[in-house]
Amino acid sequence: RELLPPEVVQALPMATLQYMRKQSTQGSNQQIGFTQQVEALFQEFDTDESGAIDRGELTLMLQRLLGMAKQSGDEEDQVPATTLVRYAKAAIDRFSSDGLVLSFEQLLQALSVHPLLRILPRDLRDQALLSAAAVRSEPSGAKAHPESRLSLIHI
C-alpha cells in the first residue's frame, strides 16, 4: 500500500468490489449455460416427451456425456461404457421420487455427485456443483437428498 499513490489506495476497495461483482456475474452466466446445456440434453433424451427420463434414456445421455469428456481430452477419467447402466440405476434409485424416472432438477442433482460427476468434461464439473447447489437452495427444488455430495456408488 505504501508504494501506491493515495488516490489508488482509496480506489482499491471499490475496484476490488467491482471485480468481485464481475466474477460473480461470470460464474452465474456459466451456471446458466451449464443448466441450459443439460436441459437441452434432457429434452433430447426424453424421447417419450414425458418430462422425465427413465433408466434407458439416462444411460444414452451418459454415453453422450462420456463422449463429450473423451473429446475434451479427459481420457483418464473415462469409465467403461458397460458400467453406465449401473450408474443410471444408482442415480434413479437415489434421486428419483418414484424410483423409475428423473425430473430435470433431479438430474442436475445426480450429475453433481460421483460417479456421474466424473463422466462430465472437467470444465463442466464445477458448474454442475453450482447448478445442483442452486436447485437445492430453491424452495421448490429437489431437497430430498441434502447429502448429494456423497458418492452414488463406491468405486
Side-chain angles (χ1 to χ4, degrees):
R1 287 187 131 184
E2 296 148 4
L3 300 174
L4 299 173
E7 62 274 6
V8 173
V9 171
Q10 287 179 330
L12 267 176
M14 183 55 77
T16 302
L17 181 60
Q18 289 172 343
Y19 176 77
M20 290 171 64
R21 283 184 183 148
K22 181 180 175 185
Q23 293 298 86
S24 174
T25 302
Q26 288 175 348
S28 296
N29 290 340
Q30 288 178 343
Q31 178 183 330
I32 291 167
F34 173 77
T35 303
Q36 289 171 340
Q37 289 175 359
V38 174
E39 187 172 20
L41 280 173
F42 183 88
Q43 290 173 356
E44 178 183 343
F45 286 97
D46 179 18
T47 55
D48 60 359
E49 298 180 0
S50 64
I53 55 173
D54 62 28
R55 187 175 6 174
E57 294 166 335
L58 179 57
T59 301
L60 293 173
M61 180 187 293
L62 295 177
Q63 287 174 338
R64 169 78 60 84
L65 290 169
L66 194 62
M68 289 169 57
K70 187 175 182 176
Q71 287 176 353
S72 69
D74 294 343
E75 261 335 292
E76 68 276 10
D77 291 331
Q78 296 302 299
V79 295
T82 56
T83 63
L84 294 179
V85 172
R86 186 171 57 115
Y87 288 177
K89 181 184 181 321
I92 289 173
D93 288 347
R94 172 137 183 226
F95 291 97
S96 174
S97 55
D98 65 3
L100 300 172
V101 296
L102 290 178
S103 69
F104 174 69
E105 291 81 10
Q106 292 165 338
L107 175 64
L108 285 175
Q109 292 288 321
L111 288 173
S112 72
V113 298
H114 290 286
L116 300 190
L117 183 63
R118 77 180 199 144
I119 290 173
L120 294 175
R122 285 181 186 214
D123 60 331
L124 297 180
R125 293 177 191 173
D126 287 341
Q127 296 169 43
L129 294 170
L130 290 171
S131 294
V135 168
R136 281 192 305 272
S137 69
E138 293 174 2
S140 63
K143 288 189 169 190
H145 302 284
E147 71 283 355
S148 65
R149 285 189 178 258
L150 301 176
S151 295
L152 291 173
I153 300 173
H154 296 291
I155 300 172

